[in-house]
């Protein structure tokens, strides 16, 4: 029996649900998505379908440029409507990876921890996001070190519009957009609780909006520089939450996260004001041109800056509320501990201050 159960793994189905029912789709969504991805990959094998399959799998809009100093040619990339197909394919890959992490890592940990329903869904959310933030942070750092962003802040706006991207930058953005779009159907696949859906929808939509905005407006340099520290802070929060669920005494990570969260917000606002308020207005190429990918006009600059500032303000508001809630909970638990301790002390012969003032206590003293 044990051998059979272990062979079955996570999918212990006593009764298989009707085909294409909600439960059937939820249980088998990873297999269905794998089939779609396999069909696209099989398309590479036939000449008729190969050109369509390549559009889904490989990064499009390759431009070869030769640098003046060196004779060698460099492969750069632009963006275009075919990127939608590429994003769709990597969205499928994200769904498959999500299911693998869930089944082979998180579910096994969940069974050991015996968490409540609320904690169970939060543990799954943090587990998935921590894995994504870790990978994105490492990947983003490797791109930044290669491009030498840190040493020269003017790199954020110099030579705008930055219509050409190296392969790593373009692929990074494709994967980011695909991941955050995949998070929308995952709300259904993971049977997320109704009360959690609005909160998750807010941050998913904000990620899609900001990352796609940076990609389309050729602000991928600024987008990357802002994403890397933000992802580090988010990684720390979700890792701290995972440790907290495994042992409730482990709360030190939250203190470090709170400090870095505020620093990240200030860094984001500083770099955004510097780029949109100082750098881009002084850039050589001013004006609006869809053909050239130039969006350097006051209206767009101010809209971008306002969007970033509003998002940071919203995040700070949520953060302050979260900290106040934690502080209230902490003070309540301390008060209940004191209440629980006081009867014991009176039983050990220590007279409480209330009793000293009572007439019965005075009578007892007098006799």
């Amino acid at each position: 029996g044990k051998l059979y159960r272990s062979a079955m793994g996570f999918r212990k189905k006593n009764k298989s649900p009707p085909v294409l029912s909600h439960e059937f789709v939820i249980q088998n969504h990873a297999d269905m998505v794998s089939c779609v991805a396999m069909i696209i990959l099989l398309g590479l094998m036939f000449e008729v379908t190969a050109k369509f399959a390549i559009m889904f799998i490989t990064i499009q809009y390759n431009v070869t440029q030769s640098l003046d100093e060196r004779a060698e040619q460099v492969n750069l990339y632009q963006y275009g409507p075919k990127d939608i197909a590429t994003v769709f394919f990597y969205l499928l890959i994200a769904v498959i990876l999500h299911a693998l992490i869930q089944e082979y890592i998180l579910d096994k940990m969940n069974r050991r921890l015996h968490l409540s329903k609320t904690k169970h869904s939060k543990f799954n959310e943090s587990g998935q996001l921590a894995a994504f933030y870790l990978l994105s942070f490492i990947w983003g750092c490797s791109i930044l070190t290669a491009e030498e962003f840190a040493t020269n802040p003017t790199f954020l706006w110099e030579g705008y519009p930055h219509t050409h991207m190296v392969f790593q930058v373009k692929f990074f953005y494709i994967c980011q957009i695909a991941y955050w779009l995949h998070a929308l159907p995952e709300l259904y696949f993971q049977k997320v609780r109704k009360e959690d859906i609005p909160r998750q929808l807010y941050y998913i939509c904000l990620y899609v909006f900001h990352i796609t905005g940076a990609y389309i407006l050729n602000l991928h340099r600024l987008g990357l520089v802002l994403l890397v520290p933000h992802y580090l802070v988010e990684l720390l929060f979700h890792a701290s939450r995972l440790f907290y669920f495994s042992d409730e005494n482990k709360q030190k990570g939250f203190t470090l996260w709170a400090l870095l969260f505020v620093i990240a917000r200030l860094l984001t606002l500083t770099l955004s004001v510097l780029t949109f308020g100082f750098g881009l207005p002084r850039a050589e190429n001013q004006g609006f041109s869809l053909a050239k990918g130039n969006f350097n006009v006051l209206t767009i600059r101010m809209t971008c800056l306002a969007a970033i500032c509003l998002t940071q303000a919203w995040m700070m508001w949520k953060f302050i509320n979260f900290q106040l809630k934690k502080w209230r909970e902490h003070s309540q638990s301390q008060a209940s501990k004191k209440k629980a301790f006081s009867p014991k002390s009176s039983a050990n012969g220590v007279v409480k201050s209330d009793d000293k003032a009572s007439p019965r206590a005075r009578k007892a003293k007098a006799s």
Side-chain angles (χ1 to χ4, degrees), residues 133-166:
Y133 288 138
L134 178 64
L135 183 69
S136 296
F137 175 70
I138 295 166
W139 191 3
C141 281
S142 70
I143 296 169
L144 290 181
T145 48
E147 295 289 334
E148 295 173 7
F149 282 121
T151 52
N152 184 16
T154 57
F155 201 70
L156 292 172
W157 58 81
E158 252 177 19
Y160 183 84
H162 310 128
T163 48
H164 296 110
M165 296 168 265
V166 294

Side-chain angles (χ1 to χ4, degrees), residues 16-36:
S16 56
V19 178
L20 296 178
S21 66
H22 285 297
E23 199 55 41
F24 178 85
V25 172
I26 287 165
Q27 279 185 6
N28 300 288
H29 74 273
D31 301 329
M32 291 172 166
V33 167
S34 302
C35 288
V36 177

Side-chain angles (χ1 to χ4, degrees), residues 78-79 159-164 215-219 285 287-296:
Q78 293 174 315
Y79 71 79
Y160 183 84
H162 310 128
T163 48
H164 296 110
Y215 185 66
I216 290 169
L217 298 173
N218 290 314
L219 294 163
N285 294 327
F288 179 81
S289 168
L290 275 174
K292 290 177 183 175
N294 191 0
F295 302 95
N296 195 4

Side-chain angles (χ1 to χ4, degrees), residues 23 50 75 115 133 166 191 220 294 298 317 350:
E23 199 55 41
N75 279 332
L115 299 169
Y133 288 138
V166 294
K191 291 204 269 193
H220 51 84
N294 191 0
L298 182 68
W317 172 249
V350 180

Side-chain angles (χ1 to χ4, degrees), residues 273-287:
V273 170
L274 202 63
T275 304
F276 294 112
F278 172 78
L280 288 174
R282 287 167 175 75
E284 286 175 30
N285 294 327
Q286 299 288 326

Side-chain angles (χ1 to χ4, degrees), residues 139-196:
W139 191 3
C141 281
S142 70
I143 296 169
L144 290 181
T145 48
E147 295 289 334
E148 295 173 7
F149 282 121
T151 52
N152 184 16
T154 57
F155 201 70
L156 292 172
W157 58 81
E158 252 177 19
Y160 183 84
H162 310 128
T163 48
H164 296 110
M165 296 168 265
V166 294
F167 174 81
Q168 285 293 337
V169 173
K170 172 144 187 180
F171 192 40
F172 178 83
Y173 270 92
I174 293 281
C175 290
Q176 291 294 315
I177 296 165
Y179 181 87
W180 290 113
L181 285 174
H182 113 281
L184 294 167
E186 282 297 345
L187 295 173
Y188 169 68
F189 294 145
Q190 295 299 322
K191 291 204 269 193
V192 173
R193 297 179 322 133
K194 277 184 182 174
E195 53 267 40
D196 280 347

Side-chain angles (χ1 to χ4, degrees), residues 218-233:
N218 290 314
L219 294 163
H220 51 84
R221 290 181 184 181
L222 177 68
L224 196 57
V225 170
L226 296 183
L227 271 179
V228 169
H230 173 73
Y231 279 172
L232 173 65
V233 174

Side-chain angles (χ1 to χ4, degrees), residues 52-62 76-92 163-167 169-179 181 211-212 214-218 220:
F52 294 108
I54 282 170
M55 188 170 74
F56 283 90
I57 298 156
T58 59
I59 304 300
Q60 300 296 302
Y61 303 104
N62 184 3
L76 296 169
Y77 294 84
Q78 293 174 315
Y79 71 79
K82 284 182 188 175
D83 289 344
I84 297 166
T86 320
V87 165
F88 174 74
F89 179 75
Y90 287 98
L91 183 151
L92 301 179
T163 48
H164 296 110
M165 296 168 265
V166 294
F167 174 81
V169 173
K170 172 144 187 180
F171 192 40
F172 178 83
Y173 270 92
I174 293 281
C175 290
Q176 291 294 315
I177 296 165
Y179 181 87
L181 285 174
I211 295 168
T212 311
Y215 185 66
I216 290 169
L217 298 173
N218 290 314
H220 51 84

